[in-house]
Amino acid sequence: MGSSNAGGRRDSSSDDEGVGEESDGSGSPVFSEGEKVLAYHGPRIYEAKVQKAEIRKKEWKYFVHYHGWNKNWDEWVSADRLMKFNDENVRKQRTLLKKQGVDNPKTGRTTHPKPKISIGAKAEKEDPRNHAAKGKKRKSISAVEGKETGIPEKLVKIQFPSTLQKQLVDDWKFVTQLGKLVKLPRVPNVDDILKIYLEHQTKKDGMIAESVGEILSGLRCYFDKALPVMLLYKQERQQYQEAISEDSNISPSTIYGAEHLLRLFVKLPELLAYVNMDEETMAQLQKKLLEFLKFLQKKQSTFFVSTYDGPRYLGDAENKEQNTSS
């Protein structure tokens, strides 16, 4: 997983051929606002729409929305990531996606059904305790087995240490059952935790492997993109809106901490299911992710909060409004 594999569906590296021509800031934009385009994001090409075109750092940049994806994935890209939407480029897109086993050329999605367990909009219907019940074979809290979820068998499987499984269950209970939230901003935040781990690995090995740095950068990208889309319970939505407005440049990784980072690991198998990796790379990634989880376990008392904020955050806001109106 490279540093640019944000959200598991797109990779910002672009060394493919046939990409749109570059234009410097002195000329006219290659693509216009409102134009339908094809956009490279790593190994795949997606249908997109140019929403804005601006000169940034002496070159044209384009703010694009990917067709079929939540607006949280909208981003600024250079012209070298875009292609004109025409028959020739559409054929190129279809050929590329066919090689990668993708069924939907518009979104780059496969037809595999979604996993049965998720954190986010439908999380309240899922009790993590069901996946760690006594008398049953213990499985990863992510509950993503190919036969159960329809996700491809070649899947990054993440086995959670038992204490972190309990952490996830307690987190779910505090938020969804007791109406309590993690107080923001968190110290240490996700950025801090990743930096601490990088320093730890550097001291441990005497040098840091490039792959570790890439994985940590990738985790940060995944976290920032995935948090508003799939890592929040509905009880946390208002808190998120107050902490990070849509117009701000605040990254979730600078506000949230270990509690929400751990939730990301529940979703990683699903997110990484559609990233092309050979078996050796996948095995190495699983090993590195497990090492990171063991580090979180070792630092559990330091990184995770011991008490959640209460009463219900939304209830507090409603009471304030009532008091103001009266």
Side-chain angles (χ1 to χ4, degrees):
M1 176 180 65
S3 62
S4 53
N5 284 351
R9 72 178 184 85
R10 304 195 305 269
D11 182 329
S12 61
S13 60
S14 302
D15 54 2
D16 304 88
E17 297 179 356
V19 192
E21 297 180 0
E22 185 61 84
S23 172
D24 58 34
S26 60
S28 301
V30 178
F31 305 94
S32 57
E33 293 184 5
E35 181 177 355
K36 185 177 181 180
V37 296
L38 292 172
Y40 271 99
H41 212 307
R44 293 182 182 172
I45 303 173
Y46 299 84
E47 286 188 16
K49 181 179 180 180
V50 176
Q51 296 184 319
K52 298 178 184 177
E54 294 180 6
I55 294 178
R56 294 188 167 197
K57 295 183 180 180
K58 299 183 179 180
E59 71 168 312
W60 282 99
K61 295 284 187 178
Y62 306 90
F63 191 69
V64 298
H65 170 72
Y66 295 89
H67 178 76
W69 296 92
N70 188 288
K71 68 178 182 179
N72 290 291
W73 296 92
D74 296 357
E75 62 179 342
W76 288 97
V77 301
S78 302
D80 60 1
R81 290 267 302 279
L82 304 178
M83 295 190 298
K84 292 291 184 179
F85 192 90
N86 54 41
D87 291 342
E88 181 182 355
N89 289 333
V90 168
R91 283 195 297 271
K92 184 181 297 184
Q93 178 202 29
R94 291 182 181 277
T95 300
L96 182 60
L97 294 180
K98 187 176 181 180
K99 289 180 180 179
Q100 297 168 348
V102 177
D103 304 300
N104 189 338
K106 291 186 177 182
T107 63
R109 291 172 175 168
T110 68
T111 55
H112 302 292
K114 294 181 179 179
K116 295 180 180 179
I117 184 171
S118 64
I119 287 180
K122 298 182 180 179
E124 293 76 15
K125 299 179 182 178
E126 301 288 347
D127 187 338
R129 291 174 294 184
N130 295 336
H131 301 280
K134 293 182 180 180
K136 294 182 179 181
K137 183 180 179 182
R138 184 177 296 276
K139 297 180 181 180
S140 165
I141 192 69
S142 59
V144 280
E145 297 290 337
K147 295 181 181 179
E148 296 178 0
T149 65
I151 290 179
E153 291 184 3
K154 289 186 177 181
L155 182 68
V156 174
K157 295 179 175 64
I158 301 175
Q159 186 68 41
F160 281 70
S162 59
T163 58
L164 292 185
Q165 286 192 8
K166 184 179 184 302
Q167 184 77 45
L168 282 166
V169 173
D170 289 344
D171 176 58
W172 170 85
K173 182 170 66 175
F174 275 123
V175 178
T176 67
Q177 304 301 303
L178 302 179
K180 297 184 177 183
L181 303 183
V182 175
K183 189 175 182 179
L184 302 178
R186 287 285 289 112
V187 178
N189 58 38
V190 171
D191 274 0
D192 295 332
I193 292 171
L194 297 178
K195 290 174 183 176
I196 292 170
Y197 181 69
L198 189 62
E199 292 173 359
H200 167 76
Q201 287 296 99
T202 303
K203 291 179 181 179
K204 177 183 176 182
D205 300 333
M207 60 178 291
I208 192 68
E210 183 180 354
S211 60
V212 174
E214 289 182 352
I215 289 172
L216 295 181
S217 296
L219 284 175
R220 183 184 185 278
C221 291
Y222 271 104
F223 183 83
D224 284 338
K225 292 289 188 180
L227 180 95
V229 180
M230 61 178 65
L231 301 186
L232 295 176
Y233 294 107
K234 69 178 182 180
Q235 291 87 347
E236 299 172 306
R237 287 288 171 187
Q238 181 176 332
Q239 185 189 40
Y240 171 80
Q241 292 298 331
E242 295 182 6
I244 304 178
S245 66
E246 292 184 1
D247 296 330
S248 72
N249 293 318
I250 299 175
S251 299
S253 55
T254 65
I255 301 295
Y256 290 83
E259 298 77 22
H260 291 78
L261 177 60
L262 190 60
R263 295 183 198 177
L264 174 66
F265 278 79
V266 176
K267 302 299 295 184
L268 273 180
E270 175 189 347
L271 295 173
L272 294 171
Y274 309 114
V275 177
N276 287 329
M277 282 186 289
D278 56 45
E279 292 185 6
E280 182 179 354
T281 301
M282 188 180 296
Q284 286 297 318
L285 178 58
Q286 288 178 186
K287 179 181 177 182
K288 298 297 183 184
L289 293 176
L290 179 58
E291 289 176 357
F292 183 80
L293 283 176
K294 288 182 177 179
F295 178 76
L296 284 184
Q297 182 186 34
K298 182 179 179 181
K299 298 287 187 178
Q300 194 166 354
S301 61
T302 304
F303 288 166
F304 293 85
V305 293
S306 56
T307 57
Y308 281 52
D309 233 12
R312 184 180 295 274
Y313 189 86
L314 182 58
D316 285 347
E318 290 175 343
N319 290 335
K320 288 179 182 179
E321 289 182 2
Q322 292 176 359
N323 293 334
T324 302
S325 60
S326 59

